[in-house]
Amino acid sequence: MTATDLTSDQKTRSRGRPREFDMDAALDAALLVFSERGYHATSISELTEAMGLASGSIYKAFKDKRGIFVAAFARYRKLGRRRLEAMIASAETGREKVFQMVMYYTELSHGEAGRKGCLVVGGANDFALLDDGTAAHVVTAFAADEKLMADLIRIGQADHTIPKTVDPDAAALAFLCLTKGLRVIGKTGRSRQEMFAAAEAAMKLVT
């Protein structure tokens, strides 16, 4: 093998190497920036600093800011959904499941977690500035939460812990407005007690 061949072989192996950074950790750092500042106000320089990556690595892995946002958004939704479903599964009745879903957002809406904000809500705030493809991810996230809440209400009606007089779809939309609103208010530093009281009041929707 000649020196030229060796160099070529090394280059081939180099191109085949996996990325030398923790993708999940990088996306976790990016989603914090997006959650706190919103999509439009976040710059590539802020993302590179938070993610601990050189701009070249950023562009190679994600191409642009939109690519980072979409990847971070997908991870955010995946992890959040996993935690939410675990809380819902721990409840026995439909009404308790509804309460657990409300409490999931309540616990994220005070203290440090509350001040960090929500990537989904932040995306909605920047909705008019997003391209159609990126905006669709936000729409899908809201629709999924709304459908899950409606399904939980119907479970409650089936097990007689929620009255049949409750309109599942209308109540689900009301809960969606409330839970996403909690994430917005949470950025202002409200206490857990205040947020918990709001959650308790919201449960009157299914009484």
Side-chain angles (χ1 to χ4, degrees), residues 101-151:
M101 185 166 179
V102 174
M103 284 306 298
Y104 170 77
Y105 292 104
T106 301
E107 293 292 4
L108 291 172
S109 301
H110 63 87
E112 183 179 356
R115 286 189 291 273
K116 288 178 179 177
C118 172
L119 193 61
V120 179
V121 173
N125 289 338
D126 282 343
F127 196 81
L129 304 173
L130 301 178
D131 62 87
D132 291 342
T134 306
H137 290 281
V138 178
V139 172
T140 299
F142 276 103
D145 285 351
E146 185 176 354
K147 180 182 184 304
L148 176 58
M149 181 57 82
D151 290 343

Side-chain angles (χ1 to χ4, degrees), residues 37-161:
R37 295 185 55 76
Y39 178 81
H40 183 64
T42 297
S43 67
I44 283 290
S45 62
E46 288 172 322
L47 290 170
T48 55
E49 181 178 356
M51 297 168 78
L53 300 176
S55 58
S57 297
I58 290 282
Y59 289 116
K60 182 177 181 180
F62 306 103
K63 294 185 179 180
D64 53 22
K65 185 172 78 169
R66 177 189 180 279
I68 301 172
F69 180 83
V70 170
F73 193 93
R75 177 166 171 76
Y76 182 80
R77 287 290 296 169
K78 177 182 177 181
L79 295 179
R81 193 73 171 192
R82 186 182 301 166
R83 292 192 296 270
L84 173 58
E85 289 177 351
M87 290 181 65
I88 291 171
S90 70
E92 294 184 0
T93 70
R95 182 181 176 80
E96 290 172 348
K97 291 178 185 295
V98 168
F99 183 64
Q100 286 301 316
M101 185 166 179
V102 174
M103 284 306 298
Y104 170 77
Y105 292 104
T106 301
E107 293 292 4
L108 291 172
S109 301
H110 63 87
E112 183 179 356
R115 286 189 291 273
K116 288 178 179 177
C118 172
L119 193 61
V120 179
V121 173
N125 289 338
D126 282 343
F127 196 81
L129 304 173
L130 301 178
D131 62 87
D132 291 342
T134 306
H137 290 281
V138 178
V139 172
T140 299
F142 276 103
D145 285 351
E146 185 176 354
K147 180 182 184 304
L148 176 58
M149 181 57 82
D151 290 343
L152 297 180
I153 293 171
R154 290 188 173 94
I155 290 173
Q157 292 177 323
D159 66 20
H160 307 295
T161 56

